[in-house]
Amino acid sequence: MTESRPLARRVREELATPLDADAATFARAIWDGPGGDAIDALVFYGARRRAPERTGWLDFYAIVSDYRRFHAGPLAAWANARLAPHVFARVLPNAVAGKVAVVDWATLDQGCRATAWRPHLWSRFCQPLRLAHVRNAAAEDALVRAATTAIATALGFGVRAADAGTPGTPLTSERLWPALFRSTYACEWRPEPPETATALYAGDRAAFDGRFREGKAFREPSAEPLRRRRAKALAAAQLVKSAFTFGDWVPYALAKLERHSGLQLEASERQRRHPFLYAWPLFWRALRSGALR
């Protein structure tokens, strides 16, 4: 991809936006914590970036130089290299909580391209990001390139998604981005209702409109539609792997499900301790209700 200077400049400006106090405190704990010397860039994204006043978990991506340097054991490094990202949770003594997804540079580069098997990386890195910590200027430049590539990829898939929804209608930023995010949600196991995609665009309207305008050269329909079945199968495998790395993930998952869908489920102590043996009824209830798509 030929880099778009306006897009790269926009990405760099967004990365430089300061973090709120909770996000900065959490980021410092990760940067200075176990494996932190292997992190080249720590990126803040997600709902709490858009609205710091909200409650809930903080979301970060850690881009590492080498999985073996970051992970304590070779098995975790091997698993992350084959099914990234490794996701773990951390709750600080002051009750600030967040989750961190770990990828290396090769995974990020491949995952931001249109040839990626899943949209989970480019669909996140095409959104506005904030840079919490960075190792050096070369790492920052690499992050800007990855995010710019992700935006170009998103625009191509977004044109296809918008045309599929209302063919023949003039293409606008307001049509493209919600259609794109609805299509990527269909590639994952997510509790968000369809209107979440519109809210995501509205929450960063100026940034997304700028991407649409400045990325005009990349507004060509992608060569292929999203391969939803394959992506969803990989997403399911990723969720299973994350269950072993995240920590006490059942309460987090149920709270997110309730927040986005309104479905309230409670897990017993046995279901929390042994989710793979006893939490299947909760999963099936979520599927049958339509809250988990």
Side-chain angles (χ1 to χ4, degrees):
M1 186 199 84
T2 302
E3 184 176 286
S4 163
R5 290 184 180 179
L7 282 178
R9 183 166 56 249
R10 173 175 291 277
V11 168
R12 209 175 284 276
E13 290 172 353
E14 292 168 352
L15 287 170
T17 305
L19 276 64
D20 65 273
D22 281 352
T25 299
F26 186 87
R28 174 53 65 180
I30 299 302
W31 187 257
D32 293 339
D37 61 342
I39 301 175
D40 286 340
L42 189 60
V43 179
F44 181 40
Y45 76 103
R48 290 286 301 273
R49 178 207 59 80
R50 294 190 297 273
E53 71 280 0
R54 291 181 58 168
T55 59
W57 290 61
L58 302 162
D59 294 292
F60 283 85
Y61 262 93
I63 299 95
V64 301
S65 56
D66 182 78
Y67 287 135
R68 290 295 297 269
R69 283 186 61 208
F70 178 82
H71 292 293
L75 181 59
W78 178 87
N80 203 0
R82 282 149 185 81
L83 191 60
H86 172 106
V87 181
F88 68 91
R90 182 75 56 82
V91 180
L92 303 185
N94 63 357
V96 173
K99 56 186 176 70
V100 183
V102 182
V103 296
D104 67 4
W105 288 107
T107 302
L108 180 64
D109 178 71
Q110 193 280 329
C112 287
R113 297 179 182 274
T115 53
W117 283 31
R118 293 173 57 196
H120 71 293
L121 280 174
W122 62 254
S123 66
R124 286 161 176 79
F125 278 76
C126 76
Q127 301 177 39
L129 308 169
R130 295 184 185 178
L131 186 56
H133 294 282
V134 66
R135 190 66 57 190
N136 48 44
E140 183 174 351
D141 289 344
L143 180 60
V144 170
R145 286 194 297 272
T148 305
T149 299
I151 294 169
T153 298
L155 287 169
F157 279 108
V159 170
R160 176 178 282 275
D163 285 346
T166 51
T169 305
L171 184 65
T172 64
S173 178
E174 192 170 7
R175 281 187 55 229
L176 182 146
W177 292 106
L180 170 71
F181 292 126
R182 282 192 293 271
S183 68
T184 60
Y185 289 168
C187 295
E188 302 185 47
W189 295 92
R190 301 179 65 100
E192 283 88 352
E195 56 267 23
T196 300
T198 303
L200 180 59
Y201 162 74
D204 279 309
R205 180 185 292 268
F208 285 124
D209 288 351
R211 283 157 166 72
F212 181 83
R213 181 177 60 253
E214 294 151 5
K216 184 177 181 179
F218 308 111
R219 295 205 313 260
E220 295 291 335
S222 60
E224 300 181 29
L226 288 171
R227 295 171 179 171
R228 295 182 180 180
R229 291 184 179 179
R230 181 175 64 181
K232 203 149 190 171
L234 289 171
Q238 170 65 41
L239 285 174
V240 172
K241 182 174 79 76
S242 294
F244 292 98
T245 65
F246 189 91
D248 190 10
W249 61 273
V250 173
Y252 166 81
L254 294 182
K256 184 170 184 177
L257 186 70
E258 181 179 358
R259 185 168 66 252
H260 290 283
S261 71
L263 178 65
Q264 185 175 12
L265 298 174
E266 292 187 12
S268 67
E269 185 64 24
R270 185 171 67 168
Q271 288 172 324
R272 288 182 59 171
R273 287 180 176 273
H274 307 287
F276 288 108
L277 290 176
Y278 302 114
W280 291 104
L282 299 176
F283 177 73
W284 291 122
R285 284 181 62 187
L287 277 179
R288 290 177 62 187
S289 72
L292 189 63
R293 299 171 177 85

